[in-house]
Amino acid sequence: MRTVVYDKENPVMKVGTTFPDVKEFRLVLCQYAIIKEFEFAIDKSEPGRFRAHCAAEGCKWYIYARPMVDKTTFQVRRHRVRHNCASTQKSEKAKNATKAWICEKVMDWLRKDATVGATELERRLHEKYHIHIKYKRVHAGRSLALDKLYGCWEDSFDKLYNFKAEVEKRCPGSIVAIDREEVKGKQCFRRIFVALKPCVDEFLNGCNPFLS
């Protein structure tokens, strides 16, 4: 497998630069556009090729990339580096700050503290990259990042019953009670109670006489 090393925060997009796949290439291109303060529009985005041009009318900037022999690694084949337009990123639209890009940038913050909300993430992104991103898009990126870090809520909820079955199997006599409620036709988690059999026995034999 080809090893690809590059700077995700300050990427170089010169001809010959390689990236693990088209998905990673697109993320890095978003970062490149944000750092260089311009917006790009995509002409072609397919497994076999990617082409984009500057969104500013009349600007001749463009980039073209396609897979290498392994059909996975993406390589920049052509890149007109110079722009003949004013920066469009300063319009504060931040169109290239996609949900996937936001997910990538907030991942470390959420790994340290999963309770950080979209408003705070919006502030941090603006502080670091000097761009304004709509709350709705930051929220979507945050949700995507949390799913990648911890799995989606639906899968986690289903795994609770696997956990209950495993505890009861390996420690017979234990109590695992899952409380849920129905909200808009969906079953939603409320709380869980777990009491392992040894703990129950020790409580009854040790603490109960004193409490009663």
Side-chain angles (χ1 to χ4, degrees), residues 119-180:
T119 300
E120 173 60 17
L121 293 175
E122 184 181 359
R123 185 193 68 78
R124 293 185 189 185
L125 289 169
H126 177 262
E127 185 178 77
K128 186 171 183 178
Y129 298 106
H130 311 293
I131 55 175
H132 291 286
I133 311 172
K134 291 182 179 180
Y135 174 89
K136 186 176 180 180
R137 201 187 307 173
V138 176
H139 183 273
R142 176 182 181 272
S143 298
L144 183 60
L146 287 174
D147 285 351
K148 287 187 176 182
L149 286 170
Y150 307 109
C152 67
W153 290 108
E154 290 80 3
D155 290 344
S156 297
F157 181 76
D158 291 339
K159 288 176 182 177
L160 272 178
Y161 292 93
N162 295 334
F163 170 77
K164 171 182 168 69
E166 197 66 23
V167 170
E168 293 173 344
K169 175 184 175 182
R170 295 181 179 274
C171 191
S174 297
I175 302 170
V176 181
I178 301 172
D179 187 17
R180 60 187 184 181

Side-chain angles (χ1 to χ4, degrees), residues 23-115:
K23 182 179 178 182
E24 194 69 18
F25 168 78
R26 289 187 61 166
L27 280 174
V28 174
L29 182 58
C30 288
Q31 177 72 9
Y32 178 80
I34 288 169
I35 294 297
K36 299 295 183 181
E37 297 186 325
F38 74 95
E39 291 177 358
F40 64 84
I42 297 173
D43 300 314
K44 293 285 184 180
S45 182
E46 302 170 350
R49 58 179 173 168
F50 181 99
R51 180 184 171 93
H53 67 273
C54 180
E57 186 176 353
C59 183
K60 296 182 179 180
W61 179 93
Y62 77 93
I63 191 167
Y64 173 75
R66 69 182 188 187
M68 299 182 70
V69 178
D70 62 8
K71 297 183 179 180
T72 300
T73 306
F74 243 65
Q75 184 180 53
V76 178
R77 296 300 181 93
R78 294 195 291 273
H79 183 196
R80 189 184 191 281
V81 180
R82 287 182 175 273
H83 287 261
N84 57 319
C85 64
S87 170
T88 58
Q89 185 63 48
K90 291 177 181 177
S91 66
E92 299 184 350
K93 295 179 181 179
K95 291 181 179 179
N96 297 136
T98 63
K99 179 175 69 173
W101 179 85
I102 293 168
C103 168
E104 177 77 16
K105 298 307 171 185
V106 304
M107 194 85 76
D108 286 341
W109 292 329
L110 292 174
R111 187 178 284 111
K112 294 177 182 177
D113 182 3
T115 65

